Amino acid sequence: MGPPPPPGFAWSPSPRGGRDTSPAAPHRTSAERVRALTTIFALLLASWPALAADIAATERRSDTGLLAPETRAMQDDDTANPGMLTVLDGAEAWSRAPGPNVPACSGCHGDAPASMSGVAARYPAWSRDAGGPVDVAGQVNLCRERRQNATPLASDSPELLALTGYVAHQSRGLPISPPEDPRLEPARERGRALFGRRMGQLDLACAQCHDDQWGRRLSGATIPQAHPTGYPIYRLEWQAVGSLQRRLRGCLTGIRAEPFPAGAPEYVELELFLMSRARGLPIETPAVRP
């Protein structure tokens, strides 16, 4: 059951989070509600055990298993999955040159279903051009700069999401297979450390929820293992397709931590670790999530 809430605080059971409408605090300000919620989280965390080990390979589960039946049906039906519109945009961009006298993506890589099959399952990967690890979006922008003489696309822009979604879609159903490249290990270990680091005003680490408490309920929702199997994903909350970096920024904001700047290396380091943590699970792009 966990510890009781602090005196004078009433928790709303509304599935959307609700608000405190109890007679005990009818005029509570936003700042007071924030302090009360922070106190509740602190009390809950005090009752949680110390960080556990990584999730065993035999216990790894895609977050798809937690979806409501209607959301799962939406994801599984390409004619109903709204993320497929972004994939179709990506197919068009794949064959369109970004400027005169430069090749389209297809000009170098040919037919994407053949040349890009399995690529997303092996990223982030080491890039000689970048001198470090890059994710799929980073590789798309490197190709634009170095091969197409084009301006890099903005993070989470529709154009970049379309191309990354199209590339990742070519690996759908294939198992995540992180590269065994020793040059990636320092960045992967930094990602592991970030996943286990307490951050923000709520003093929470990613691992406290997604390693230690997965499968339990918090605020009316089941805590997932948080594997990056379906990015870019369509989130019903966003009513749009978004990247893993956008989701990580949302998590940081949720624990009241300062998000890293867009495109910061910390995001790629976290993805490196998360992809290793999800080894063997199938790519699901474009996934649908609440």
Side-chain angles (χ1 to χ4, degrees):
M1 294 293 292
F9 185 87
W11 181 263
S12 167
S14 166
R16 297 185 63 185
R19 60 188 182 91
D20 181 5
T21 58
S22 68
H27 304 297
R28 179 170 286 134
T29 66
S30 296
E32 288 170 334
R33 281 195 289 270
V34 167
R35 286 194 293 270
L37 284 169
T38 303
T39 301
I40 283 180
F41 272 105
L43 289 169
L44 286 171
L45 289 176
S47 69
W48 286 5
L51 296 183
D54 293 345
I55 298 171
T58 54
E59 294 184 345
R60 293 173 190 161
R61 304 284 187 272
S62 165
D63 298 349
T64 292
L66 301 177
L67 296 178
E70 57 271 20
T71 308
R72 176 66 183 268
M74 181 188 298
Q75 175 177 293
D76 292 346
D77 183 353
D78 283 353
T79 64
N81 184 335
M84 285 302 298
L85 296 174
T86 294
V87 171
L88 291 174
D89 287 344
E92 193 275 332
W94 180 262
S95 300
R96 184 180 66 242
N101 303 317
V102 294
C105 301
S106 59
C108 291
H109 300 288
D111 187 44
S115 64
M116 295 293 108
S117 178
V119 168
R122 300 190 297 269
Y123 266 71
W126 183 267
S127 166
R128 182 177 60 186
D129 288 340
V134 297
D135 56 12
V136 173
Q139 185 58 54
V140 167
N141 271 334
L142 279 172
C143 281
R144 285 180 63 83
E145 285 187 281
R146 305 294 178 92
R147 311 286 183 260
Q148 296 177 311
N149 194 30
T151 303
L153 298 168
S155 177
D156 269 295
S157 64
E159 297 85 357
L160 187 56
L161 289 169
L163 279 169
T164 56
Y166 181 62
V167 169
H169 183 64
Q170 310 314 315
S171 299
R172 186 166 66 171
L174 298 178
I176 291 174
S177 307
E180 300 292 343
D181 187 334
R183 294 174 296 181
L184 295 172
E185 286 309 308
R188 184 178 285 120
E189 287 306 308
R190 288 193 294 272
R192 180 189 297 273
L194 273 173
F195 192 78
R197 180 189 304 167
R198 288 176 177 262
M199 293 182 283
Q201 292 178 342
L202 297 185
D203 196 30
L204 269 172
C206 310
Q208 284 180 275
C209 284
H210 302 300
D211 277 354
D212 299 352
Q213 305 295 329
W214 67 267
R216 300 179 70 178
R217 305 281 290 182
L218 182 64
S219 297
T222 302
I223 300 173
Q225 292 184 356
H227 295 301
T229 55
Y231 288 88
I233 62 170
Y234 185 92
R235 289 203 75 200
L236 302 178
E237 176 187 350
W238 298 337
Q239 290 291 290
V241 169
S243 66
L244 176 60
Q245 290 197 17
R246 179 176 178 180
R247 186 70 189 98
L248 292 172
R249 290 197 301 271
C251 286
L252 289 168
T253 300
I255 61 173
R256 301 191 181 94
E258 184 71 26
F260 303 112
E266 286 85 354
Y267 292 122
V268 177
E269 292 164 0
L270 272 168
E271 185 175 354
L272 268 169
F273 169 66
L274 290 173
M275 290 293 275
S276 294
R277 182 173 170 268
R279 181 186 299 273
L281 294 178
I283 295 289
E284 300 173 295
T285 306
V288 177
R289 296 291 183 262

